[in-house]
């Protein structure tokens, strides 16, 4: 190999290395987005199956009564609306 060929090879490798450094973050981002999309899709499919089981469950016969904290907070909110 002559000096010119070695110089050309080094230049070509440097150019290829810069190209890889510039493209690598994009490729990593695309792979990450696809992984996240897959996880979201799997979670939605799992949630859809969970809804079917929730519909078949019966609710308890007890009536739900708001807690004291909820009752107190509701009273405070209504007083604030009247005062302002």
């Amino acid at each position: 190999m002559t000096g010119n060929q070695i110089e050309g090879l080094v230049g070509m490798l440097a150019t290829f290395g810069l190209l890889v450094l510039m493209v690598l973050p994009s490729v990593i981002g695309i792979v990450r987005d696809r992984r996240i999309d897959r996880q979201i899709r799997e979670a939605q499919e799992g949630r859809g199956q969970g809804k079917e089981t929730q519909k078949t469950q019966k609710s308890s016969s007890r009536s739900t009564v708001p807690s004291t904290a909820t009752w107190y907070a509701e009273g405070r909110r209504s007083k604030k609306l009247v005062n302002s």
Side-chain angles (χ1 to χ4, degrees):
M1 268 189 153
T2 65
N4 288 339
Q5 289 175 331
I6 292 175
E7 190 176 325
L9 180 63
V10 169
M12 197 167 31
L13 289 175
T15 304
F16 182 71
L18 288 172
L19 178 68
V20 168
L21 285 176
M22 292 177 71
V23 171
L24 189 62
S26 297
V27 171
I28 291 172
I30 291 169
V31 170
R32 182 175 177 263
D33 284 347
R34 287 190 181 204
R35 180 177 49 92
I36 291 170
D37 289 343
R38 181 175 37 89
Q39 289 174 347
I40 290 172
R41 191 169 46 251
E42 288 173 358
Q44 286 175 343
E45 289 172 0
R47 189 182 335 149
Q49 293 171 355
K51 284 183 180 178
E52 292 172 0
T53 58
Q54 287 178 353
K55 288 181 182 178
T56 58
Q57 293 178 349
K58 294 182 180 178
S59 63
S60 65
S61 59
R62 289 179 51 198
S63 63
T64 56
V65 179
S67 67
T68 305
T70 305
W71 173 79
Y72 179 74
E74 287 296 326
R76 298 282 293 169
R77 282 191 206 115
S78 62
K79 287 179 185 176
K80 284 182 181 177
L81 291 174
V82 172
N83 290 338
S84 56

